[in-house]
Amino acid sequence: MSFLNGVPLRAAFGLVALAAAAPALAQSDPAAAPVQALDDGLLAIMKGGSALGAAGRAAKIGPVVDQTFDIGLITRLSVGPDWLKVAPADQAALVAGMRRLTVAQYAANFSSYSGQSFTIDPKVEARGADKLVRTTLSTPKSDSVAIGYRLRQSGGKWRIVDVYYRNAISQLATRRADFESIFAKGGAKALISHLDALAAKSGK
């Protein structure tokens, strides 16, 4: 057996490999994993494109949304304080409506592939107990788009609770402003219908 400075050569090479990998492992943040999973899922439906169709893309991205988003919390935060006024059955219907909308919008907005790629910023920022993961969507011969994700830990897993288009426009804040007036006029039933209408429109 060959030795290097008293260490078996095979073991020495193993130690070198571990040392080389250590910085990358140290820099990885578990909050980035759901964002990577979402990016991979979006690329998959984009590459599926018209061959999958809107329904096929929705079926493919649906489980990814379930894995990476906290749809229940997003729905509650979008409704705001009025959530406490909503009956449990209507709360469940609102969460289901929010999921349908999220899935339908991704299936509609990521419907074709022309060389796009996602890049995740390795620097994950703390926002109190939450974390912010920044990404860039790049398309050949087009301007890149910055997309930020706010994640919160629930049940030991990091889940997306807000999306920032161009790192500035909060999807959660936009929906809260939209939902407030609808709830004020027609309560939970009107909001459920609104979510269903938005999902149906996106699915066309």
Side-chain angles (χ1 to χ4, degrees):
M1 180 181 294
S2 299
F3 288 80
L4 179 64
N5 294 331
V7 179
L9 197 56
R10 184 179 299 172
F13 283 133
L15 290 172
V16 170
L18 284 174
L25 292 173
Q27 291 174 7
S28 65
D29 190 296
V35 177
Q36 183 66 64
L38 177 62
D39 288 350
D40 292 343
L42 293 176
L43 283 175
I45 64 170
M46 291 164 73
K47 291 177 179 178
S50 58
L52 284 174
R57 292 193 300 274
K60 196 174 184 69
I61 201 63
V64 179
V65 168
D66 294 335
Q67 174 191 350
T68 58
F69 283 80
D70 191 337
I71 295 293
L73 180 57
I74 289 171
T75 308
R76 179 167 63 83
L77 294 175
S78 297
V79 175
D82 289 327
W83 181 258
L84 299 176
K85 305 174 185 176
V86 179
D90 286 338
Q91 288 181 346
L94 285 168
V95 172
M98 181 66 78
R99 180 190 183 276
R100 283 193 297 273
L101 174 59
T102 303
V103 170
Q105 287 183 332
Y106 275 127
N109 294 335
F110 294 84
S111 59
S112 62
Y113 181 74
S114 55
Q116 292 91 336
S117 63
F118 290 96
T119 304
I120 298 178
D121 188 335
K123 182 182 178 182
V124 176
E125 302 173 30
R127 290 291 187 273
D130 296 348
K131 291 190 176 182
L132 181 66
V133 178
R134 299 183 187 276
T135 70
T136 302
L137 171 60
S138 300
T139 302
K141 299 181 181 180
S142 297
D143 293 337
S144 60
V145 179
I147 307 172
Y149 297 92
R150 187 164 187 147
L151 297 98
R152 185 168 299 176
Q153 202 167 29
S154 176
K157 297 180 179 180
W158 288 98
R159 298 288 181 90
I160 298 166
V161 296
D162 198 6
V163 181
Y164 300 92
Y165 180 68
R166 297 195 182 280
N167 285 329
I169 303 171
S170 165
Q171 188 178 70
L172 189 62
T174 301
R175 285 177 172 167
R176 187 182 295 132
D178 180 36
F179 292 177
E180 184 177 8
S181 60
I182 295 170
F183 192 94
K185 293 176 181 178
K189 301 295 186 186
L191 192 50
I192 293 168
S193 296
H194 178 64
L195 286 171
D196 288 342
L198 289 176
K201 183 178 180 181
S202 296
K204 291 182 179 179

